[in-house]
Amino acid sequence: MKRVRISRCATQLLAGRTPRRPSCPCAAGLQRDITPHDYRIQARSLSTVAIEKDSELDIGTPDPTSSQPAAAPAPPAIPHRKRLAPEQLPSPHPFAASHSTKLSALRARLSLHQRFPLQTLARTLVHPSADPDPAFNNASLSILGANLLGYYTTEYLLCNYPRLPIPVIFAAQHAYTGPKALATVASEWGIEAAAEPGGEVDPGLLQFRRLRSGSRVPAALRRQVPWKWNVTTTHRIVATDEFGSDNTPPDPQSLSAVPVPMEEAAQSFVRALIGALHLHLGSPLVKRFYRDHFLSRQLDLSTLFDFRTPTRDLSKLCAREGFEAPVARLISETGRASRHPVFVVGVYSGKDKLGEGAGASLEEARFRAAAAALKAWYLYRPIEVTLPSSMEGELDTRKWKPNMVDCGEVIV
Amino acid sequence: MPLSAIKTVAKPQNGVGAFILQCKRLEFHYCDWAGSSRGMNAFIKTSLPAFAKRNPQIEMAISPRPRKHPVIRAHYINGAQRAICVRNLEAESVREKAEMLRDASGEKNKRVNKPVTSINESVRGIWSPFHGDEIKI
C-alpha cells in the first residue's frame, strides 16, 4: 500500500478553500495550482463568523506588526473593508496562536516537533460548541483521531492477547482510550479551560461552551435508550463505538453551539490532536506518540475479568479444546474448625494443573482456582507479534508474520 | 453472559513513556525601587532569557509588584501553587530557587520511608505457608 502524501491528504481537513473564503488580491494569481504549506492556508483563510461577501472580511489582529499577508492593513484597491474586533469572533483568530505562550509551552511539554504548527494546535482546542464553523473547530480532526486511537488500541489488544473475550476487549479499549481516560490524559497534559469561549481568549485554553450547573446534558450525549431493541454483541461490535456501548457516539458537529460538559470537550481535544499529528507529522510519529502517552499507562488486564460461573465456563472450555474434564482437588488446608480457615484448591485436567486458588471456604477456593485457570487461558500472549500498522507502506512482505487468531471465548 | 468486564481507567505513569514536566507556569514578581529586588532584577535582566529558552515547557510571566518583596510563584499541573520569596538574594540564588520550583512536582512534601514504591505486584509473590519445602522439626 502506498502512503498518501501528507500535504495532499491534509489540506481537505484543514481549513479548506471554501467558496466564501476571502480572496487575497495579491496571492490569487500566484497560488493557483500549488498546494501551499498547511498553516499558511489556515492562516490566510480563517475567519470564524458567517460572512455574506468575500470583500467584507478583514479581521483585526491582536498584533498588527505581524508579517503575515492577511494581517497587513487592507490595500487601498479594495474598498468597503470592515475590521472585525476579536470580541466578535466565536474563537480566537489563528494569528493569535503564534503569540500565545500557553500554546508554545504546551507544544514543548508534549515534545511535539517544531514542524507542528501552533495554529493547528490552537484549532484542536476549539470544540464545536464554541465555534460551529467546521473549518475552524476540531470536529473533523477529532473524528480522524478517534478512528486512529481505536485502530491502534484494537490492533495492540487483538495481536498481543488473541484470546481475550469481547467484553474484556471493550473494557480495555475503554480503559486506554475511553472518554474518561482521554479527559484524564488532557488534564495530565495541563490543559486549562476558558471560562467562556470567544475571539479575545488566549488560544492556549480549551474553548467550549460550558454546561451550567444544574442543567441537563444535551440530548445528543444523553441518548441512553438503545435505538435497537435487541442489542447483541454483533451490534455492539459493528454498529456502535469501539467501547461496546449500546448506542452510537454523537456526531461531533451535532454538538455545535450546545453547552457540553468539560469531559466531552477535553476528549475531543485529545482526539483532534492525534488526528492533527497524523496529518502533519505522519503515522510513524503518531504511533510513537500513542505508545508514549497511551500504551505506557498501566493497566492490569487480569483485573478486568468478572466471572459469573467460572467452573462451568472452565468445563465447557475443556470440552471444547479436547482436554479432560477439570477436577478440583484440595492441595492444603489449615484451621478447618477455626474462625479463619484457609483452603488451597487446584483445578486439574488429568495430570495437568490448570489453576490454583486460595479461599476461606472450599467453594470459594474452587471458584478462585477455576477463575485463575480461565484467566491463564484468556490472557495467553504470543511471543512474537507483527502489528498490521507496522507494515504500512512496506513493499517487502517477508517481514510479515501472520498473527494468531483464536476461535473465541467460551459460549455457554 | 458468562463473563462481564469491569470498566476502569488505565493509571498514568509519568516518565515511563513520555515525561510531562509538572511545572506549567512560573511568575516572576519584582519591584523596581526596593533594594530587596536587586538580585531578582539582575536575574531577570541577565539569565532569565536563557532560563526560558532552556525550559520551553514552562510559561513564563514577569510582572511588577511595587513596594513588595520579589516572589517567584509556580503553578503545577495538579492545580497546586508554590511561591518562594527571594528577597535580598543574589541573581545566582534566585536562579537556584527557580530551578527548585521547576523540578518540583506540585505534590506536598512527604517523608519517603520505603526504598521502592510500585504499582506493579511483587515479582516474587507473597510468601505462602502452603508452598515450598516443608520444614521438618
Side-chain angles (χ1 to χ4, degrees):
Chain A
M1 197 180 77
K2 201 170 177 188
R3 193 178 298 160
V4 182
R5 286 193 58 190
I6 290 167
S7 62
R8 223 178 295 157
C9 67
T11 45
Q12 62 202 7
L13 278 157
L14 292 177
R17 292 162 175 253
T18 46
R20 53 182 175 71
R21 180 179 147 252
S23 55
C24 176
C26 320
L30 298 171
Q31 299 186 333
R32 181 138 311 164
D33 300 321
I34 55 167
T35 307
H37 196 257
D38 305 320
Y39 68 85
R40 290 237 184 112
I41 296 180
Q42 211 182 8
R44 211 182 317 113
S45 63
L46 283 194
S47 113
T48 45
V49 282
I51 309 147
E52 290 87 19
K53 280 184 223 153
D54 282 358
S55 58
E56 285 200 353
L57 180 88
D58 191 8
I59 292 157
T61 57
D63 185 8
T65 59
S66 170
S67 60
Q68 302 282 353
I78 302 170
H80 312 300
R81 278 213 168 183
K82 192 168 65 181
R83 273 186 173 265
L84 279 178
E87 295 82 36
Q88 290 169 287
L89 304 174
S91 64
H93 195 274
F95 290 126
S98 50
H99 306 293
S100 167
T101 51
K102 275 186 195 304
L103 269 184
S104 50
L106 177 64
R107 185 170 71 177
R109 198 179 302 141
L110 298 182
S111 316
L112 300 179
H113 201 274
Q114 288 290 321
R115 224 164 65 218
F116 187 67
L118 289 177
Q119 284 85 356
T120 312
L121 186 59
R123 185 180 162 185
T124 59
L125 283 162
V126 180
H127 189 259
S129 64
D131 192 343
D133 193 332
F136 306 102
N137 60 31
N138 64 12
S140 53
L141 294 172
S142 73
I143 293 172
L144 176 64
N147 285 320
L148 285 173
L149 281 175
Y151 170 45
Y152 291 143
T153 319
T154 319
E155 76 166 3
Y156 166 78
L157 289 171
L158 288 184
C159 293
N160 282 299
Y161 301 95
R163 284 180 182 156
L164 274 190
I166 203 76
V168 180
I169 289 184
F170 283 147
Q173 291 253 19
H174 183 267
Y176 278 121
T177 56
K180 213 168 263 180
L182 293 188
T184 319
V185 165
S187 71
E188 281 158 16
W189 287 347
I191 302 297
E192 298 163 49
E196 189 70 23
E200 75 282 11
V201 179
D202 191 305
L205 298 171
L206 184 62
Q207 314 248 342
F208 66 103
R209 187 161 297 175
R210 280 175 189 264
L211 201 64
R212 291 194 176 272
S213 67
S215 55
R216 296 191 75 186
V217 178
L221 292 173
R222 188 155 30 88
R223 256 193 330 195
Q224 292 299 328
V225 184
W227 47 273
K228 203 167 175 290
W229 64 272
N230 53 350
V231 179
T232 56
T233 307
T234 313
H235 174 79
R236 284 204 179 92
I237 295 169
V238 174
T240 68
D241 59 0
E242 60 265 43
F243 316 117
S245 49
D246 291 349
N247 44 36
T248 48
D251 174 27
Q253 203 53 41
S254 70
L255 293 173
S256 53
V258 177
V260 290
M262 166 116 180
E263 187 186 291
E264 164 64 32
Q267 67 172 338
S268 86
F269 157 69
V270 178
R271 286 174 180 155
L273 182 67
I274 296 285
L277 284 177
H278 181 77
L279 294 178
H280 278 284
L281 304 180
S283 60
L285 281 175
V286 174
K287 279 172 65 182
R288 204 159 73 195
F289 186 84
Y290 171 76
R291 188 198 62 199
D292 289 347
H293 284 94
F294 295 91
L295 273 192
S296 68
R297 296 165 75 80
Q298 204 257 358
L299 177 69
D300 190 5
L301 282 178
S302 65
T303 56
L304 300 183
F305 288 85
D306 186 12
F307 293 107
R308 297 276 162 229
T309 50
T311 47
R312 192 181 63 177
D313 291 3
L314 185 63
S315 52
K316 281 278 175 193
L317 179 72
C318 288
R320 193 186 80 181
E321 298 295 325
F323 304 152
E324 287 182 38
V327 178
R329 295 200 189 105
L330 188 61
I331 294 176
S332 59
E333 63 166 281
T334 177
R336 187 182 279 255
S338 74
R339 192 165 175 273
H340 294 293
V342 175
F343 302 96
V344 178
V345 168
V347 177
Y348 293 84
S349 163
K351 288 192 170 176
D352 302 328
K353 184 158 84 173
L354 303 180
E356 185 185 302
S361 70
L362 286 168
E363 277 293 280
E364 185 191 346
R366 188 169 63 95
F367 267 58
R368 283 182 190 277
L374 280 174
K375 278 183 189 175
W377 173 264
Y378 283 139
L379 288 173
Y380 164 71
R381 197 170 179 178
I383 294 168
E384 279 199 11
V385 163
T386 324
L387 292 182
S389 69
S390 66
M391 298 296 288
E392 274 175 12
E394 289 271 345
L395 294 174
D396 184 16
T397 51
R398 276 172 299 174
K399 285 186 201 164
W400 170 256
K401 295 206 182 72
N403 289 309
M404 178 188 163
V405 178
D406 192 64
C407 65
E409 63 196 270
V410 185
I411 296 171
V412 182
Chain B
M1 288 289 281
L3 172 70
S4 54
I6 299 160
K7 290 210 165 176
T8 50
V9 172
K11 287 186 202 114
Q13 293 174 292
N14 194 12
V16 171
F19 174 70
I20 304 277
L21 192 75
Q22 293 297 299
C23 177
K24 64 177 175 185
R25 184 181 162 92
L26 277 178
E27 291 169 0
F28 298 88
H29 298 289
Y30 65 97
C31 171
D32 276 335
W33 174 81
S36 64
S37 290
R38 204 173 292 136
M40 181 68 154
N41 292 350
F43 169 75
I44 290 173
K45 273 181 197 151
T46 57
S47 45
L48 184 57
F51 181 77
K53 198 163 269 180
R54 259 183 285 126
N55 303 294
Q57 310 93 323
I58 305 175
E59 187 192 344
M60 306 277 177
I62 307 170
S63 54
R65 194 162 163 265
R67 294 186 296 157
K68 297 276 193 337
H69 286 311
V71 162
I72 309 177
R73 185 182 295 273
H75 296 254
Y76 294 94
I77 280 181
N78 63 358
Q81 283 185 25
R82 203 173 266 204
I84 292 183
C85 179
V86 288
R87 63 166 183 251
N88 299 328
L89 291 186
E90 298 299 318
E92 193 58 22
S93 340
V94 174
R95 186 185 57 78
E96 279 170 18
K97 294 289 181 197
E99 283 176 356
M100 200 175 98
L101 285 176
R102 173 200 66 187
D103 297 337
S105 71
E107 300 285 331
K108 281 190 175 178
N109 291 340
K110 276 181 213 156
R111 178 182 291 275
V112 179
N113 293 324
K114 297 280 183 286
V116 176
T117 316
S118 175
I119 48 176
N120 297 322
E121 64 182 40
S122 154
V123 182
R124 294 173 64 179
I126 302 168
W127 177 80
S128 156
F130 305 112
H131 299 85
D133 291 337
E134 284 183 20
I135 301 167
K136 294 271 176 14
I137 301 172

